[in-house]
Amino acid sequence: MQEEKKKKLAMVIFSGDMDKLFAAFSIAAGAAASNMDVTMFFTFWGLRGIKANVKTGKSLFGRMLGVMYGGDINRANPSKMSFGGIGRWMFKKMMKAKNVPSLPELRQTAIDLGVKLYGCQMSMEVMEIPREKMIDDVAECVGVAFFIEQAQKADATLFI
Amino acid sequence: MQEEKKKKLAMVIFSGDMDKLFAAFSIAAGAAASNMDVTMFFTFWGLRGIKANVKTGKSLFGRMLGVMYGGDINRANPSKMSFGGIGRWMFKKMMKAKNVPSLPELRQTAIDLGVKLYGCQMSMEVMEIPREKMIDDVAECVGVAFFIEQAQKADATLFI
Amino acid sequence: MQEEKKKKLAMVIFSGDMDKLFAAFSIAAGAAASNMDVTMFFTFWGLRGIKANVKTGKSLFGRMLGVMYGGDINRANPSKMSFGGIGRWMFKKMMKAKNVPSLPELRQTAIDLGVKLYGCQMSMEVMEIPREKMIDDVAECVGVAFFIEQAQKADATLFI
């Protein structure tokens, strides 16, 4: 009964950029802290947000992608001023200097507050990133129909 | 009566990137398949999503833009790893290998399921892409007020 | 009483790109003109949308960021075809040729129509852009919880 009355936020996380993931997890954690029910649907580049730090890819292209866009959430670069990793390092420094939580810490907070993480099955197949290459906190790997269902029930929807 | 009860999704398609258009049409088709009423409002770079494969532009800048950002949905590059067209080719290969529909096929599915496509009049004028340079399936070319009207009635809104 | 019945739009403005800011302020102004209550929450690069044309940054990194991503809304480059400022100049020309309002004019229209602008406190701290470096029209600098509150009450939400 109480569950039904909870306000709901449904998010698509398409981007794997450091700054956008930061915005996404901030909003998710903030919404969960405000007693909202939060669903994050990770697709395409966004899969980095829930990937473990392991190699991926089976086919030639899959392995190439795994090398070029590999690593976990810590490897995410900002969408601007990436400078081959310098931007990432710089933003981490700046955030630490202001006592802002790091991206993995922020994700953990979101998870602890009950935010549910879902992987997009189709992009996982195309990018050759199977379930076992992801962090354990991922609830399930689902199709786009799952997101649609969430969005229909949601009070707010965001594509990031 | 039944029409009024249909859940509604209103989308702004700002991006003309291959991967974002793919996400957009996946969500649109998925929503329409779930019996939602779906409106896609294409603006700026997103116009590529509904453009025909023809030359555009009248003024010097318009023609320059037509050359630099020309072509139809098949010419869309991924937002990352574009590599002057190699990324596009690679993703097409990867998608085909997994039996994922191509971007034009996915758009057709969305159209067949009843998704309505609208062009943003103002960006069409600025970018010098008139109605007759677009695919026939475009329902109408409208102003931002049209999107606002849709968004007000919508159960979910996304900016892609 | 009437106030409560107003439809509501809550936007996160993450991008500081010329074209995305243009889309954001167009939608905001259009919604306000349609009698909607509109909240824009500017975060990260989006802060450019409400910054004054002054130097920012105190620490080494903050000052570097202030130089590399400095200036006000007039300095915003398009998300594509930036070409070190040429794209910006070209789009301004093209928009003027079609009698489309400039980005600062469009923002002013939005403000005049009652759109409320908010700065994201956390990104202001990280990027070292204090309140006094922003335009006077900014209503307040707030945390993400403020946006969540707005989103819960909103009829439409967008992340741009």
Side-chain angles (χ1 to χ4, degrees), chain A residues 90-123:
Chain A
M90 179 174 138
F91 275 106
K92 280 185 185 171
K93 283 267 187 195
M94 289 178 79
M95 284 157 65
K96 204 167 183 182
K98 311 291 172 186
N99 293 313
V100 169
S102 72
L103 190 44
E105 282 165 6
L106 188 58
R107 180 176 66 187
Q108 195 52 54
T109 302
I111 293 166
D112 293 346
L113 287 166
V115 172
K116 293 275 181 304
L117 316 179
Y118 295 87
C120 164
Q121 222 153 29
M122 193 198 273
S123 33

PDB file of all heavy atoms in Angstrom, chain A residues 90-123:
ATOM      1  N   MET A  90      41.988  15.657 -13.253  1.00  0.00           N
ATOM      2  CA  MET A  90      41.774  17.016 -12.761  1.00  0.00           C
ATOM      3  C   MET A  90      40.438  17.139 -12.027  1.00  0.00           C
ATOM      4  O   MET A  90      40.370  17.695 -10.931  1.00  0.00           O
ATOM      5  CB  MET A  90      41.823  17.966 -13.968  1.00  0.00           C
ATOM      6  CG  MET A  90      41.607  19.417 -13.639  1.00  0.00           C
ATOM      7  SD  MET A  90      41.875  20.431 -15.165  1.00  0.00           S
ATOM      8  CE  MET A  90      40.501  21.589 -14.999  1.00  0.00           C
ATOM      9  N   PHE A  91      39.379  16.572 -12.629  1.00  0.00           N
ATOM     10  CA  PHE A  91      38.069  16.673 -11.972  1.00  0.00           C
ATOM     11  C   PHE A  91      38.051  15.878 -10.666  1.00  0.00           C
ATOM     12  O   PHE A  91      37.441  16.301  -9.694  1.00  0.00           O
ATOM     13  CB  PHE A  91      36.949  16.219 -12.905  1.00  0.00           C
ATOM     14  CG  PHE A  91      36.487  17.318 -13.801  1.00  0.00           C
ATOM     15  CD1 PHE A  91      36.816  17.348 -15.143  1.00  0.00           C
ATOM     16  CD2 PHE A  91      35.741  18.370 -13.278  1.00  0.00           C
ATOM     17  CE1 PHE A  91      36.410  18.391 -15.960  1.00  0.00           C
ATOM     18  CE2 PHE A  91      35.325  19.415 -14.085  1.00  0.00           C
ATOM     19  CZ  PHE A  91      35.664  19.430 -15.428  1.00  0.00           C
ATOM     20  N   LYS A  92      38.724  14.735 -10.671  1.00  0.00           N
ATOM     21  CA  LYS A  92      38.782  13.951  -9.435  1.00  0.00           C
ATOM     22  C   LYS A  92      39.439  14.776  -8.326  1.00  0.00           C
ATOM     23  O   LYS A  92      38.983  14.799  -7.193  1.00  0.00           O
ATOM     24  CB  LYS A  92      39.542  12.639  -9.660  1.00  0.00           C
ATOM     25  CG  LYS A  92      38.678  11.573 -10.330  1.00  0.00           C
ATOM     26  CD  LYS A  92      39.402  10.229 -10.438  1.00  0.00           C
ATOM     27  CE  LYS A  92      38.546   9.235 -11.233  1.00  0.00           C
ATOM     28  NZ  LYS A  92      39.269   7.992 -11.549  1.00  0.00           N
ATOM     29  N   LYS A  93      40.537  15.445  -8.678  1.00  0.00           N
ATOM     30  CA  LYS A  93      41.257  16.310  -7.730  1.00  0.00           C
ATOM     31  C   LYS A  93      40.330  17.417  -7.215  1.00  0.00           C
ATOM     32  O   LYS A  93      40.264  17.707  -6.026  1.00  0.00           O
ATOM     33  CB  LYS A  93      42.450  16.965  -8.443  1.00  0.00           C
ATOM     34  CG  LYS A  93      43.635  16.053  -8.638  1.00  0.00           C
ATOM     35  CD  LYS A  93      44.612  16.202  -7.486  1.00  0.00           C
ATOM     36  CE  LYS A  93      45.887  15.422  -7.756  1.00  0.00           C
ATOM     37  NZ  LYS A  93      46.682  15.250  -6.534  1.00  0.00           N
ATOM     38  N   MET A  94      39.666  18.085  -8.174  1.00  0.00           N
ATOM     39  CA  MET A  94      38.812  19.217  -7.813  1.00  0.00           C
ATOM     40  C   MET A  94      37.654  18.780  -6.922  1.00  0.00           C
ATOM     41  O   MET A  94      37.275  19.478  -5.984  1.00  0.00           O
ATOM     42  CB  MET A  94      38.261  19.886  -9.081  1.00  0.00           C
ATOM     43  CG  MET A  94      39.336  20.652  -9.849  1.00  0.00           C
ATOM     44  SD  MET A  94      38.693  21.395 -11.392  1.00  0.00           S
ATOM     45  CE  MET A  94      37.862  22.855 -10.751  1.00  0.00           C
ATOM     46  N   MET A  95      37.104  17.613  -7.216  1.00  0.00           N
ATOM     47  CA  MET A  95      35.993  17.114  -6.422  1.00  0.00           C
ATOM     48  C   MET A  95      36.459  16.729  -5.024  1.00  0.00           C
ATOM     49  O   MET A  95      35.779  17.010  -4.042  1.00  0.00           O
ATOM     50  CB  MET A  95      35.329  15.936  -7.133  1.00  0.00           C
ATOM     51  CG  MET A  95      34.449  16.401  -8.303  1.00  0.00           C
ATOM     52  SD  MET A  95      34.151  15.143  -9.570  1.00  0.00           S
ATOM     53  CE  MET A  95      33.197  13.974  -8.597  1.00  0.00           C
ATOM     54  N   LYS A  96      37.625  16.118  -4.977  1.00  0.00           N
ATOM     55  CA  LYS A  96      38.162  15.716  -3.675  1.00  0.00           C
ATOM     56  C   LYS A  96      38.448  16.951  -2.814  1.00  0.00           C
ATOM     57  O   LYS A  96      38.183  16.962  -1.613  1.00  0.00           O
ATOM     58  CB  LYS A  96      39.442  14.913  -3.883  1.00  0.00           C
ATOM     59  CG  LYS A  96      39.736  13.986  -2.709  1.00  0.00           C
ATOM     60  CD  LYS A  96      40.817  12.980  -3.032  1.00  0.00           C
ATOM     61  CE  LYS A  96      41.025  12.036  -1.854  1.00  0.00           C
ATOM     62  NZ  LYS A  96      42.100  11.085  -2.118  1.00  0.00           N
ATOM     63  N   ALA A  97      38.994  17.986  -3.449  1.00  0.00           N
ATOM     64  CA  ALA A  97      39.336  19.213  -2.727  1.00  0.00           C
ATOM     65  C   ALA A  97      38.103  19.844  -2.086  1.00  0.00           C
ATOM     66  O   ALA A  97      38.209  20.556  -1.080  1.00  0.00           O
ATOM     67  CB  ALA A  97      40.015  20.201  -3.678  1.00  0.00           C
ATOM     68  N   LYS A  98      36.942  19.616  -2.686  1.00  0.00           N
ATOM     69  CA  LYS A  98      35.692  20.195  -2.151  1.00  0.00           C
ATOM     70  C   LYS A  98      34.912  19.154  -1.343  1.00  0.00           C
ATOM     71  O   LYS A  98      33.724  19.340  -1.051  1.00  0.00           O
ATOM     72  CB  LYS A  98      34.804  20.705  -3.297  1.00  0.00           C
ATOM     73  CG  LYS A  98      35.486  21.565  -4.315  1.00  0.00           C
ATOM     74  CD  LYS A  98      35.885  22.921  -3.756  1.00  0.00           C
ATOM     75  CE  LYS A  98      36.750  23.626  -4.797  1.00  0.00           C
ATOM     76  NZ  LYS A  98      37.311  24.884  -4.327  1.00  0.00           N
ATOM     77  N   ASN A  99      35.559  18.036  -1.028  1.00  0.00           N
ATOM     78  CA  ASN A  99      34.918  16.957  -0.268  1.00  0.00           C
ATOM     79  C   ASN A  99      33.655  16.423  -0.922  1.00  0.00           C
ATOM     80  O   ASN A  99      32.694  16.047  -0.248  1.00  0.00           O
ATOM     81  CB  ASN A  99      34.590  17.431   1.156  1.00  0.00           C
ATOM     82  CG  ASN A  99      35.858  17.673   1.940  1.00  0.00           C
ATOM     83  OD1 ASN A  99      36.763  16.838   1.932  1.00  0.00           O
ATOM     84  ND2 ASN A  99      35.938  18.812   2.597  1.00  0.00           N
ATOM     85  N   VAL A 100      33.652  16.426  -2.234  1.00  0.00           N
ATOM     86  CA  VAL A 100      32.540  15.835  -2.977  1.00  0.00           C
ATOM     87  C   VAL A 100      32.846  14.348  -3.134  1.00  0.00           C
ATOM     88  O   VAL A 100      33.986  13.977  -3.410  1.00  0.00           O
ATOM     89  CB  VAL A 100      32.415  16.519  -4.357  1.00  0.00           C
ATOM     90  CG1 VAL A 100      31.452  15.781  -5.262  1.00  0.00           C
ATOM     91  CG2 VAL A 100      31.992  17.967  -4.182  1.00  0.00           C
ATOM     92  N   PRO A 101      31.860  13.472  -2.923  1.00  0.00           N
ATOM     93  CA  PRO A 101      32.134  12.041  -3.064  1.00  0.00           C
ATOM     94  C   PRO A 101      32.598  11.695  -4.479  1.00  0.00           C
ATOM     95  O   PRO A 101      32.228  12.348  -5.444  1.00  0.00           O
ATOM     96  CB  PRO A 101      30.792  11.387  -2.759  1.00  0.00           C
ATOM     97  CG  PRO A 101      29.764  12.459  -2.896  1.00  0.00           C
ATOM     98  CD  PRO A 101      30.460  13.742  -2.576  1.00  0.00           C
ATOM     99  N   SER A 102      33.403  10.641  -4.579  1.00  0.00           N
ATOM    100  CA  SER A 102      33.840  10.180  -5.894  1.00  0.00           C
ATOM    101  C   SER A 102      32.669   9.467  -6.584  1.00  0.00           C
ATOM    102  O   SER A 102      31.676   9.130  -5.942  1.00  0.00           O
ATOM    103  CB  SER A 102      35.011   9.217  -5.742  1.00  0.00           C
ATOM    104  OG  SER A 102      34.540   7.997  -5.210  1.00  0.00           O
ATOM    105  N   LEU A 103      32.847   9.226  -7.874  1.00  0.00           N
ATOM    106  CA  LEU A 103      31.783   8.584  -8.646  1.00  0.00           C
ATOM    107  C   LEU A 103      31.423   7.195  -8.096  1.00  0.00           C
ATOM    108  O   LEU A 103      30.226   6.900  -7.906  1.00  0.00           O
ATOM    109  CB  LEU A 103      32.216   8.534 -10.114  1.00  0.00           C
ATOM    110  CG  LEU A 103      31.202   8.134 -11.172  1.00  0.00           C
ATOM    111  CD1 LEU A 103      29.863   8.800 -10.971  1.00  0.00           C
ATOM    112  CD2 LEU A 103      31.746   8.455 -12.558  1.00  0.00           C
ATOM    113  N   PRO A 104      32.418   6.324  -7.781  1.00  0.00           N
ATOM    114  CA  PRO A 104      32.053   5.010  -7.215  1.00  0.00           C
ATOM    115  C   PRO A 104      31.371   5.134  -5.847  1.00  0.00           C
ATOM    116  O   PRO A 104      30.454   4.380  -5.535  1.00  0.00           O
ATOM    117  CB  PRO A 104      33.399   4.293  -7.083  1.00  0.00           C
ATOM    118  CG  PRO A 104      34.331   5.019  -7.992  1.00  0.00           C
ATOM    119  CD  PRO A 104      33.852   6.434  -8.050  1.00  0.00           C
ATOM    120  N   GLU A 105      31.808   6.093  -5.056  1.00  0.00           N
ATOM    121  CA  GLU A 105      31.172   6.301  -3.744  1.00  0.00           C
ATOM    122  C   GLU A 105      29.717   6.741  -3.917  1.00  0.00           C
ATOM    123  O   GLU A 105      28.819   6.286  -3.209  1.00  0.00           O
ATOM    124  CB  GLU A 105      31.927   7.379  -2.955  1.00  0.00           C
ATOM    125  CG  GLU A 105      33.224   6.910  -2.320  1.00  0.00           C
ATOM    126  CD  GLU A 105      34.123   8.063  -1.875  1.00  0.00           C
ATOM    127  OE1 GLU A 105      33.684   9.238  -1.968  1.00  0.00           O
ATOM    128  OE2 GLU A 105      35.267   7.802  -1.454  1.00  0.00           O
ATOM    129  N   LEU A 106      29.516   7.634  -4.878  1.00  0.00           N
ATOM    130  CA  LEU A 106      28.171   8.149  -5.129  1.00  0.00           C
ATOM    131  C   LEU A 106      27.257   7.019  -5.607  1.00  0.00           C
ATOM    132  O   LEU A 106      26.104   6.912  -5.191  1.00  0.00           O
ATOM    133  CB  LEU A 106      28.251   9.252  -6.186  1.00  0.00           C
ATOM    134  CG  LEU A 106      26.987  10.045  -6.456  1.00  0.00           C
ATOM    135  CD1 LEU A 106      26.485  10.712  -5.188  1.00  0.00           C
ATOM    136  CD2 LEU A 106      27.256  11.104  -7.519  1.00  0.00           C
ATOM    137  N   ARG A 107      27.802   6.166  -6.479  1.00  0.00           N
ATOM    138  CA  ARG A 107      27.007   5.018  -6.946  1.00  0.00           C
ATOM    139  C   ARG A 107      26.640   4.125  -5.767  1.00  0.00           C
ATOM    140  O   ARG A 107      25.511   3.659  -5.665  1.00  0.00           O
ATOM    141  CB  ARG A 107      27.806   4.215  -7.983  1.00  0.00           C
ATOM    142  CG  ARG A 107      27.034   3.008  -8.507  1.00  0.00           C
ATOM    143  CD  ARG A 107      27.776   2.259  -9.590  1.00  0.00           C
ATOM    144  NE  ARG A 107      28.996   1.642  -9.086  1.00  0.00           N
ATOM    145  CZ  ARG A 107      29.910   1.031  -9.842  1.00  0.00           C
ATOM    146  NH1 ARG A 107      29.739   0.974 -11.147  1.00  0.00           N
ATOM    147  NH2 ARG A 107      30.985   0.501  -9.311  1.00  0.00           N
ATOM    148  N   GLN A 108      27.612   3.885  -4.873  1.00  0.00           N
ATOM    149  CA  GLN A 108      27.343   3.037  -3.716  1.00  0.00           C
ATOM    150  C   GLN A 108      26.242   3.637  -2.847  1.00  0.00           C
ATOM    151  O   GLN A 108      25.361   2.920  -2.340  1.00  0.00           O
ATOM    152  CB  GLN A 108      28.626   2.827  -2.906  1.00  0.00           C
ATOM    153  CG  GLN A 108      28.547   1.688  -1.900  1.00  0.00           C
ATOM    154  CD  GLN A 108      28.081   0.379  -2.532  1.00  0.00           C
ATOM    155  OE1 GLN A 108      28.650  -0.084  -3.521  1.00  0.00           O
ATOM    156  NE2 GLN A 108      27.014  -0.210  -2.005  1.00  0.00           N
ATOM    157  N   THR A 109      26.300   4.945  -2.683  1.00  0.00           N
ATOM    158  CA  THR A 109      25.257   5.628  -1.898  1.00  0.00           C
ATOM    159  C   THR A 109      23.895   5.391  -2.535  1.00  0.00           C
ATOM    160  O   THR A 109      22.915   5.090  -1.844  1.00  0.00           O
ATOM    161  CB  THR A 109      25.549   7.142  -1.839  1.00  0.00           C
ATOM    162  OG1 THR A 109      26.844   7.319  -1.264  1.00  0.00           O
ATOM    163  CG2 THR A 109      24.519   7.875  -1.002  1.00  0.00           C
ATOM    164  N   ALA A 110      23.858   5.547  -3.849  1.00  0.00           N
ATOM    165  CA  ALA A 110      22.587   5.334  -4.569  1.00  0.00           C
ATOM    166  C   ALA A 110      22.077   3.913  -4.333  1.00  0.00           C
ATOM    167  O   ALA A 110      20.899   3.703  -4.015  1.00  0.00           O
ATOM    168  CB  ALA A 110      22.784   5.604  -6.062  1.00  0.00           C
ATOM    169  N   ILE A 111      22.986   2.947  -4.457  1.00  0.00           N
ATOM    170  CA  ILE A 111      22.610   1.540  -4.251  1.00  0.00           C
ATOM    171  C   ILE A 111      22.109   1.331  -2.819  1.00  0.00           C
ATOM    172  O   ILE A 111      21.079   0.709  -2.585  1.00  0.00           O
ATOM    173  CB  ILE A 111      23.806   0.606  -4.563  1.00  0.00           C
ATOM    174  CG1 ILE A 111      24.127   0.653  -6.069  1.00  0.00           C
ATOM    175  CG2 ILE A 111      23.530  -0.815  -4.104  1.00  0.00           C
ATOM    176  CD1 ILE A 111      25.465   0.042  -6.453  1.00  0.00           C
ATOM    177  N   ASP A 112      22.841   1.890  -1.851  1.00  0.00           N
ATOM    178  CA  ASP A 112      22.468   1.732  -0.441  1.00  0.00           C
ATOM    179  C   ASP A 112      21.110   2.354  -0.149  1.00  0.00           C
ATOM    180  O   ASP A 112      20.380   1.912   0.745  1.00  0.00           O
ATOM    181  CB  ASP A 112      23.536   2.362   0.466  1.00  0.00           C
ATOM    182  CG  ASP A 112      24.866   1.597   0.403  1.00  0.00           C
ATOM    183  OD1 ASP A 112      24.872   0.464  -0.107  1.00  0.00           O
ATOM    184  OD2 ASP A 112      25.887   2.143   0.867  1.00  0.00           O
ATOM    185  N   LEU A 113      20.781   3.382  -0.905  1.00  0.00           N
ATOM    186  CA  LEU A 113      19.485   4.043  -0.707  1.00  0.00           C
ATOM    187  C   LEU A 113      18.359   3.336  -1.448  1.00  0.00           C
ATOM    188  O   LEU A 113      17.210   3.765  -1.408  1.00  0.00           O
ATOM    189  CB  LEU A 113      19.564   5.512  -1.160  1.00  0.00           C
ATOM    190  CG  LEU A 113      20.357   6.450  -0.248  1.00  0.00           C
ATOM    191  CD1 LEU A 113      20.649   7.766  -0.967  1.00  0.00           C
ATOM    192  CD2 LEU A 113      19.574   6.724   1.043  1.00  0.00           C
ATOM    193  N   GLY A 114      18.707   2.260  -2.161  1.00  0.00           N
ATOM    194  CA  GLY A 114      17.660   1.461  -2.795  1.00  0.00           C
ATOM    195  C   GLY A 114      17.437   1.696  -4.276  1.00  0.00           C
ATOM    196  O   GLY A 114      16.481   1.163  -4.848  1.00  0.00           O
ATOM    197  N   VAL A 115      18.297   2.486  -4.904  1.00  0.00           N
ATOM    198  CA  VAL A 115      18.186   2.682  -6.356  1.00  0.00           C
ATOM    199  C   VAL A 115      18.418   1.341  -7.057  1.00  0.00           C
ATOM    200  O   VAL A 115      19.340   0.621  -6.706  1.00  0.00           O
ATOM    201  CB  VAL A 115      19.223   3.733  -6.849  1.00  0.00           C
ATOM    202  CG1 VAL A 115      19.252   3.803  -8.371  1.00  0.00           C
ATOM    203  CG2 VAL A 115      18.916   5.099  -6.248  1.00  0.00           C
ATOM    204  N   LYS A 116      17.575   1.027  -8.025  1.00  0.00           N
ATOM    205  CA  LYS A 116      17.695  -0.253  -8.749  1.00  0.00           C
ATOM    206  C   LYS A 116      18.387  -0.037 -10.092  1.00  0.00           C
ATOM    207  O   LYS A 116      17.997   0.828 -10.870  1.00  0.00           O
ATOM    208  CB  LYS A 116      16.318  -0.847  -9.008  1.00  0.00           C
ATOM    209  CG  LYS A 116      15.576  -1.306  -7.776  1.00  0.00           C
ATOM    210  CD  LYS A 116      15.982  -2.718  -7.371  1.00  0.00           C
ATOM    211  CE  LYS A 116      15.208  -3.186  -6.138  1.00  0.00           C
ATOM    212  NZ  LYS A 116      15.332  -2.286  -4.975  1.00  0.00           N
ATOM    213  N   LEU A 117      19.422  -0.845 -10.356  1.00  0.00           N
ATOM    214  CA  LEU A 117      20.202  -0.734 -11.586  1.00  0.00           C
ATOM    215  C   LEU A 117      19.863  -1.874 -12.549  1.00  0.00           C
ATOM    216  O   LEU A 117      19.890  -3.047 -12.158  1.00  0.00           O
ATOM    217  CB  LEU A 117      21.704  -0.789 -11.262  1.00  0.00           C
ATOM    218  CG  LEU A 117      22.218   0.039 -10.074  1.00  0.00           C
ATOM    219  CD1 LEU A 117      23.720  -0.168  -9.903  1.00  0.00           C
ATOM    220  CD2 LEU A 117      21.905   1.511 -10.259  1.00  0.00           C
ATOM    221  N   TYR A 118      19.574  -1.537 -13.799  1.00  0.00           N
ATOM    222  CA  TYR A 118      19.253  -2.543 -14.813  1.00  0.00           C
ATOM    223  C   TYR A 118      20.143  -2.354 -16.037  1.00  0.00           C
ATOM    224  O   TYR A 118      20.416  -1.225 -16.438  1.00  0.00           O
ATOM    225  CB  TYR A 118      17.793  -2.427 -15.242  1.00  0.00           C
ATOM    226  CG  TYR A 118      16.836  -2.745 -14.123  1.00  0.00           C
ATOM    227  CD1 TYR A 118      16.431  -1.751 -13.244  1.00  0.00           C
ATOM    228  CD2 TYR A 118      16.365  -4.039 -13.929  1.00  0.00           C
ATOM    229  CE1 TYR A 118      15.570  -2.045 -12.198  1.00  0.00           C
ATOM    230  CE2 TYR A 118      15.508  -4.340 -12.886  1.00  0.00           C
ATOM    231  CZ  TYR A 118      15.110  -3.337 -12.013  1.00  0.00           C
ATOM    232  OH  TYR A 118      14.277  -3.641 -10.978  1.00  0.00           O
ATOM    233  N   GLY A 119      20.577  -3.448 -16.620  1.00  0.00           N
ATOM    234  CA  GLY A 119      21.354  -3.388 -17.858  1.00  0.00           C
ATOM    235  C   GLY A 119      20.450  -3.630 -19.058  1.00  0.00           C
ATOM    236  O   GLY A 119      19.513  -4.422 -18.973  1.00  0.00           O
ATOM    237  N   CYS A 120      20.743  -2.952 -20.145  1.00  0.00           N
ATOM    238  CA  CYS A 120      19.966  -3.121 -21.381  1.00  0.00           C
ATOM    239  C   CYS A 120      20.508  -4.316 -22.143  1.00  0.00           C
ATOM    240  O   CYS A 120      21.648  -4.314 -22.621  1.00  0.00           O
ATOM    241  CB  CYS A 120      20.081  -1.864 -22.238  1.00  0.00           C
ATOM    242  SG  CYS A 120      19.581  -2.100 -23.944  1.00  0.00           S
ATOM    243  N   GLN A 121      19.668  -5.347 -22.259  1.00  0.00           N
ATOM    244  CA  GLN A 121      20.089  -6.610 -22.852  1.00  0.00           C
ATOM    245  C   GLN A 121      20.635  -6.450 -24.277  1.00  0.00           C
ATOM    246  O   GLN A 121      21.676  -7.013 -24.612  1.00  0.00           O
ATOM    247  CB  GLN A 121      18.880  -7.548 -22.914  1.00  0.00           C
ATOM    248  CG  GLN A 121      19.199  -8.956 -22.527  1.00  0.00           C
ATOM    249  CD  GLN A 121      17.963  -9.641 -21.967  1.00  0.00           C
ATOM    250  OE1 GLN A 121      16.837  -9.326 -22.323  1.00  0.00           O
ATOM    251  NE2 GLN A 121      18.180 -10.572 -21.064  1.00  0.00           N
ATOM    252  N   MET A 122      19.944  -5.662 -25.081  1.00  0.00           N
ATOM    253  CA  MET A 122      20.359  -5.544 -26.475  1.00  0.00           C
ATOM    254  C   MET A 122      21.739  -4.891 -26.606  1.00  0.00           C
ATOM    255  O   MET A 122      22.583  -5.391 -27.347  1.00  0.00           O
ATOM    256  CB  MET A 122      19.339  -4.746 -27.288  1.00  0.00           C
ATOM    257  CG  MET A 122      19.574  -4.879 -28.775  1.00  0.00           C
ATOM    258  SD  MET A 122      18.760  -3.575 -29.708  1.00  0.00           S
ATOM    259  CE  MET A 122      17.141  -4.275 -29.951  1.00  0.00           C
ATOM    260  N   SER A 123      21.998  -3.834 -25.881  1.00  0.00           N
ATOM    261  CA  SER A 123      23.323  -3.226 -26.010  1.00  0.00           C
ATOM    262  C   SER A 123      24.399  -4.110 -25.383  1.00  0.00           C
ATOM    263  O   SER A 123      25.542  -4.112 -25.825  1.00  0.00           O
ATOM    264  CB  SER A 123      23.368  -1.795 -25.454  1.00  0.00           C
ATOM    265  OG  SER A 123      22.529  -1.604 -24.381  1.00  0.00           O
TER     266      SER A 123
END
